């Protein structure tokens, strides 16, 4: 199935920050020296991925990259690495050099995961702590909601590189501890914290965890989608498009009778094309070409057809820096069709279509993979949202103080636009973060 997804994983990759692969700290997990057979496996992974990209990548010019030269240099670097983590970083960097949000390496599955005890998000041009796990080392060391994160392991945090930092520290090179420099709301002097992480074992092997993966998976798709009513306004918090498209039908039952709907796509990193098309079929009363796909060969456009029970009321869509792929496409579609308004922050600008590639090493069951971009997504105005994002009709940015006090001025403003009334303080009380073991999700209070 074609996927519009965004892995906001936390990771600083060596060349991105001008680092050397020798910079892997003593805090890194799994720094055992590799044997010759493991080095050979790394080289095989690299060569297999080169073949997959050469065959499937949407741009036959590969963004001007000479595949043979670039992968040849990576092969030479693999001869020098001392640990698997370093080897994975070398392979990952080759794909990151394409500067493509949907092209990235997925290292071999593992059941070892790491919990740093906090979650963050870019808000405007700054990174803030969204939630801190109770009784974690992060809480003990004084990390608080609303703190601005200035650096992670000495590297400045910015909107462009945060997802790469996520990718590194949660997928490629999990850490026993992270050094942060943070600034309290209203503060002027940064404070330095060394926060110990917690290692845990997942049931069943999986790819490395994501620090921005907010939602623990217990419960049905219906449970993960949250609803609230303020007067005649229905609020639908939709955490992901990564659901069975048929689930959209039952979810729409909660909003069809409303006169006004706020679709909250903040933190929604995308998902399946079919789920996007199904939702559009319920929100637009005509057949639409959502977007054209620009790949190596002619591809069918993304389209939607009216469901037969279209919601015709007023619509406001909320976005933030973690609203990506399918979320961005839907929000921009609402703008282009004049269907409603978009409120919040500029979206991620991570809008491509990709397919998943899976490989296994010969004579064993070690699996690895990659997300490989197979198309650029062109909206009806002839433009791509990649690296641009959706510019809200009304940009509302929470402050550090808003976060610290649990206020939600974005949701409050959207309710006001639809004729309702609620304070940012009360809006912030509608949904709260709940931790369960090493995972967290938003729940209705």
């Amino acid at each position: 199935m074609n996927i519009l997804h965004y892995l906001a994983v936390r990771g600083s990759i060596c060349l991105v920050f001008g680092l050397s692969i020798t910079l892997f700290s003593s805090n890194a997990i799994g720094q055992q020296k590799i044997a010759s057979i493991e080095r050979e496996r790394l080289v095989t992974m690299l060569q297999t991925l080169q073949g997959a990209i050469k065959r499937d990548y949407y741009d036959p010019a590969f963004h001007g990259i000479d595949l043979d030269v670039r992968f040849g240099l990576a092969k030479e670097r693999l001869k020098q690495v001392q640990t698997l983590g370093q080897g994975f970083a070398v392979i990952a960097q080759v794909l990151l050099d394409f500067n493509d949000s949907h092209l990235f390496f997925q290292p071999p599955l593992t059941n070892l995961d790491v919990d740093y005890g906090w979650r963050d998000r870019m808000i405007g041009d700054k990174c803030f702590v969204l939630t801190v796990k109770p009784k974690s080392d992060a809480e003990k060391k004084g990390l608080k909601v609303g703190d601005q994160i200035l650096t992670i392991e000495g590297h400045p945090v910015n909107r462009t590189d945060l997802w790469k930092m996520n990718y590194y520290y949660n997928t490629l090179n999990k850490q026993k501890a992270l050094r942060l420099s943070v600034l309290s709301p209203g503060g002027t002097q940064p404070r330095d914290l060394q926060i110990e992480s917690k290692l845990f074992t997942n049931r069943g092997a999986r790819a490395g965890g994501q620090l921005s993966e907010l939602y623990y998976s217990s419960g049905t798709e219906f449970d993960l989608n949250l609803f609230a009513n303020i007067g005649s306004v229905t609020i639908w918090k939709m955490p992901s498009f990564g659901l069975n498209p048929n689930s959209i039908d039952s979810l729409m039952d909660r909003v069809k009778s409303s006169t006004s709907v706020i679709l909250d796509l903040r933190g929604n990193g995308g998902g399946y094309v079919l789920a996007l098309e199904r939702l559009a079929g319920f929100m637009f009363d005509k057949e639409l070409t959502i977007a054209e796909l620009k790949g190596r060969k002619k591809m069918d456009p993304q389209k939607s057809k009216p469901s037969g029970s279209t919601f015709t009321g007023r619509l406001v869509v909320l976005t933030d820096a973690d609203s990506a792929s399918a979320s961005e496409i839907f929000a921009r579609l609402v703008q282009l069709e004049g269907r409603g308004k978009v409120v919040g922050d500029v979206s991620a600008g991570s809008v491509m279509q990709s397919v998943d590639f899976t490989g296994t090493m010969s004579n064993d069951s070690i699996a690895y993979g990659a997300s490989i971009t197979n198309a650029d997504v062109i909206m009806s105005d002839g433009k791509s949202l990649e690296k641009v994002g959706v510019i809200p009709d009304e940009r509302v940015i929470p402050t550090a103080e808003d976060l610290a006090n649990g206020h939600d001025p974005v949701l409050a403003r959207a309710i006001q636009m639809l004729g309702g009334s609620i304070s940012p303080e009360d809006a912030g009380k509608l949904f709260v973060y709940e931790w369960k073991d090493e995972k967290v999700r938003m729940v209705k209070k």
Side-chain angles (χ1 to χ4, degrees):
M1 181 180 292
N2 287 333
I3 301 173
L4 292 155
H5 62 179
Y6 174 60
L7 281 188
V9 285
R10 236 150 271 256
S12 117
I13 302 302
C14 44
L15 297 184
V16 172
F17 293 96
L19 303 180
S20 157
I21 57 173
T22 61
L23 189 58
F24 285 64
S25 73
S26 59
N27 284 327
I29 299 166
Q31 291 298 292
Q32 295 87 352
K33 300 292 183 180
I34 58 175
S36 59
I37 188 172
E38 292 169 321
R39 196 183 303 275
E40 291 172 5
R41 285 171 171 167
L42 289 171
V43 171
T44 300
M45 286 182 194
L46 179 71
Q47 293 173 333
T48 303
L49 289 172
Q50 179 181 358
I53 292 169
K54 189 174 184 178
R55 181 183 65 247
D56 297 330
Y57 193 63
Y58 83 104
D59 178 9
F62 309 108
H63 294 190
I65 291 174
D66 187 318
L67 293 189
D68 291 335
V69 170
R70 192 63 58 90
F71 278 83
L73 290 172
K75 182 178 178 181
E76 291 302 311
R77 293 188 70 197
L78 288 177
K79 294 178 181 178
Q80 303 171 18
V81 300
Q82 300 300 312
T83 70
L84 282 175
Q86 292 175 357
F88 293 156
V90 168
I91 296 173
Q93 185 63 51
V94 180
L95 275 60
L96 287 176
D97 286 343
F98 282 74
N99 196 25
D100 181 326
S101 65
H102 282 58
L103 178 67
F104 51 85
F105 171 54
Q106 296 168 333
L109 301 179
T110 175
N111 60 4
L112 178 66
D113 215 334
V114 61
D115 174 30
Y116 294 110
W118 48 278
R119 301 291 189 269
D120 62 20
R121 182 168 296 163
M122 293 300 305
I123 298 177
D125 295 322
K126 299 177 180 178
C127 181
F128 292 98
V129 176
L130 282 186
T131 180
V132 178
K133 182 179 179 179
K135 300 181 181 179
S136 65
D137 193 59
E139 183 183 64
K140 294 174 184 176
K141 296 290 176 61
L143 189 68
K144 298 182 181 299
V145 174
D147 283 347
Q148 181 186 347
I149 301 177
L150 304 176
T151 67
I152 299 177
E153 288 294 314
H155 304 298
V157 178
N158 59 66
R159 192 175 177 118
T160 300
D161 292 330
L162 181 60
W163 79 268
K164 299 168 187 171
M165 299 178 77
N166 299 340
Y167 177 46
Y168 179 71
Y169 291 121
N170 289 268
T171 300
L172 299 178
N173 207 26
K174 301 164 188 175
Q175 303 285 306
K176 298 176 182 177
L178 282 178
R179 292 181 294 113
L180 307 180
S181 176
V182 303
L183 186 66
S184 300
T188 58
Q189 294 297 320
R191 63 188 197 278
D192 296 327
L193 303 174
Q194 170 116 346
I195 297 176
E196 304 295 322
S197 63
K198 178 182 178 182
L199 304 182
F200 64 98
T201 302
N202 280 303
R203 290 187 293 271
R206 70 183 190 97
Q210 283 92 55
L211 197 55
S212 60
E213 184 184 79
L214 294 181
Y215 296 90
Y216 56 78
S217 59
S218 61
T220 65
E221 292 171 347
F222 196 85
D223 295 326
L224 295 175
N225 287 264
L226 304 175
F227 297 87
N229 292 286
I230 301 297
S232 62
V233 179
T234 298
I235 304 154
W236 176 5
K237 291 190 71 69
M238 184 183 188
S240 173
F241 279 88
L243 44 72
N244 186 325
N246 294 329
S247 298
I248 299 293
D249 298 50
S250 58
L251 292 168
M252 282 298 304
D253 287 340
R254 293 290 298 269
V255 305
K256 277 193 268 188
S257 61
S258 302
T259 59
S260 301
V261 167
I262 296 171
L263 183 61
D264 191 345
L265 299 180
R266 290 176 294 178
N268 184 319
Y272 297 124
V273 173
L274 291 179
L276 165 67
E277 294 173 342
R278 188 66 179 161
L279 179 64
F282 277 103
M283 292 295 186
F284 295 88
D285 60 3
K286 59 182 179 180
E287 185 171 332
L288 288 174
T289 295
I290 299 172
E292 299 286 348
L293 300 177
K294 181 181 178 181
R296 288 203 203 181
K297 57 186 179 181
K298 183 175 177 57
M299 304 174 71
D300 292 335
Q302 296 171 6
K303 286 190 172 184
S304 69
K305 295 181 179 180
S307 66
S309 54
T310 305
F311 169 72
T312 59
R314 298 173 69 190
L315 177 65
V316 172
V317 179
L318 306 187
T319 60
D320 66 7
D322 278 356
S323 302
S325 278
S327 295
E328 299 180 89
I329 293 171
F330 184 83
R332 184 59 179 149
L333 182 65
V334 168
Q335 289 181 325
L336 291 171
E337 294 296 324
R339 177 67 180 84
K341 298 295 183 181
V342 177
V343 177
D345 198 357
V346 179
S347 64
S350 171
V351 185
M352 305 292 273
Q353 181 171 282
S354 66
V355 292
D356 285 332
F357 168 81
T358 301
T360 56
M361 307 305 297
S362 58
N363 301 322
D364 60 38
S365 59
I366 299 175
Y368 63 94
S371 169
I372 298 180
T373 305
N374 70 339
D376 195 358
V377 180
I378 309 299
M379 303 298 295
S380 63
D381 60 355
K383 298 178 181 179
S384 170
L385 295 169
E386 180 76 358
K387 309 259 182 316
V388 177
V390 178
I391 311 299
D393 297 291
E394 187 166 332
R395 194 172 184 188
V396 182
I397 307 295
T399 65
E401 289 78 10
D402 286 328
L403 295 173
N405 294 318
H407 295 178
D408 190 345
V410 183
L411 181 55
R413 175 56 184 149
I415 292 171
Q416 182 184 48
M417 291 172 67
L418 294 174
S421 178
I422 192 172
S423 68
E425 179 181 4
D426 288 337
K429 293 177 180 178
L430 292 176
F431 308 99
V432 296
Y433 289 115
E434 176 183 82
W435 288 83
K436 183 177 180 181
D437 299 324
E438 291 80 19
K439 297 292 181 181
V440 63
R441 64 179 274 199
M442 189 164 274
V443 298
K444 185 179 178 182
K445 191 170 181 178

